[in-house]
């Protein structure tokens, strides 16, 4: 191999490396955290439950379902059906709201993933009122809410709630 061909190879390898690094850096800049999206605080994300709970108090299943993204999945506490569209989520809340639920967080752990997504997981309880007798009962459950900011609004994209196994 001549001195000239070695120099050409070094130049080609160097140019390729510079282009590759530049492409990677540009990709990271574009992927980033959603552009100009400012990350929410843990307090703000935890407060989304309070908004959801207040909306339960309206007794309007459509208002509650509107807090969920159009492609959200709800794995509810007191139903065996997976709810994966708006109509099914409304249907669940039509039945759930009949018990006049009042929620209260017992333990919460918030992870803000980026400016447009966050997870709130923990334990909550609901005081429910039996329609027929007026008798109150408390259901303690584990929960996970996954939130995404869409068109400037925080929406629930996944909500899983399950009764505590020990009662």
């Amino acid at each position: 191999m001549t001195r000239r061909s070695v120099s050409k190879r070094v130049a080609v390898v160097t140019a390729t490396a510079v282009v590759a690094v530049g492409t990677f850096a540009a990709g990271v800049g574009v992927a980033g955290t959603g552009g100009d999206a400012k990350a929410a605080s843990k307090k703000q994300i935890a407060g989304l439950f309070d908004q959801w709970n207040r909306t339960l108090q309206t007794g309007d299943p459509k208002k509650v379902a509107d807090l969920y993204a159009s492609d959200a999945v709800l794995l509810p506490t007191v139903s065996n059906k997976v709810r994966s569209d708006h109509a099914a989520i409304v249907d669940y809340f039509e039945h759930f709201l009949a018990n006049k639920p009042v929620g209260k967080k017992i333990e919460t752990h918030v992870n803000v993933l980026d400016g447009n997504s966050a997870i709130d997981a923990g334990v909550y309880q609901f005081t429910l009122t039996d329609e027929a007798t007026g008798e109150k009962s408390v259901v303690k459950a584990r929960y996970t809410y996954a939130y995404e900011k869409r068109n400037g609004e925080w929406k629930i994209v996944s909500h899983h709630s399950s009764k505590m196994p020990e009662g």
Side-chain angles (χ1 to χ4, degrees):
M1 205 179 276
T2 66
R3 187 184 250 296
R4 183 172 254 226
S5 63
V6 170
S7 294
K8 279 184 181 178
R9 281 188 175 192
V10 168
V12 168
V13 168
T14 302
T16 303
V18 168
V19 169
V21 168
T23 302
F24 175 76
V28 168
V30 170
T33 60
D36 295 331
K38 182 182 170 199
S41 69
K42 288 184 175 194
K43 184 177 179 181
Q44 180 186 5
I45 297 303
L48 293 172
F49 170 82
D50 298 327
Q51 175 192 8
W52 181 83
N53 195 36
R54 281 191 307 273
T55 307
L56 290 180
Q57 306 314 302
T58 69
D60 185 338
K62 289 179 181 162
K63 284 184 181 178
V64 178
D66 285 346
L67 298 175
Y68 291 77
S70 59
D71 58 346
V73 175
L74 169 62
L75 303 171
T77 313
V78 293
S79 171
N80 292 331
K81 290 183 190 175
V82 173
R83 313 301 174 121
S84 59
D85 63 38
H86 189 76
I89 292 171
V90 170
D91 177 69
Y92 172 73
F93 284 110
E94 284 173 348
H95 297 92
F96 185 64
L97 293 177
N99 294 311
K100 297 181 176 40
V102 177
K104 175 183 166 187
K105 278 187 178 178
I106 297 169
E107 180 180 342
T108 189
H109 303 275
V110 173
N111 293 320
V112 177
L113 304 176
D114 59 38
N116 294 311
S117 55
I119 297 170
D120 180 3
V123 178
Y124 54 22
Q125 70 181 30
F126 287 94
T127 302
L128 306 173
T129 305
D130 185 276
E131 273 187 282
T133 66
E135 189 175 315
K136 293 189 183 292
S137 63
V138 175
V139 175
K140 198 172 179 183
R142 297 175 285 201
Y143 71 85
T144 303
Y145 290 94
Y147 296 101
E148 262 185 28
K149 192 181 257 187
R150 295 187 178 178
N151 299 317
E153 271 188 81
W154 285 102
K155 294 288 187 177
I156 301 165
V157 293
S158 180
H159 177 188
H160 178 219
S161 181
S162 57
K163 267 187 182 178
M164 296 295 268
E166 61 275 2

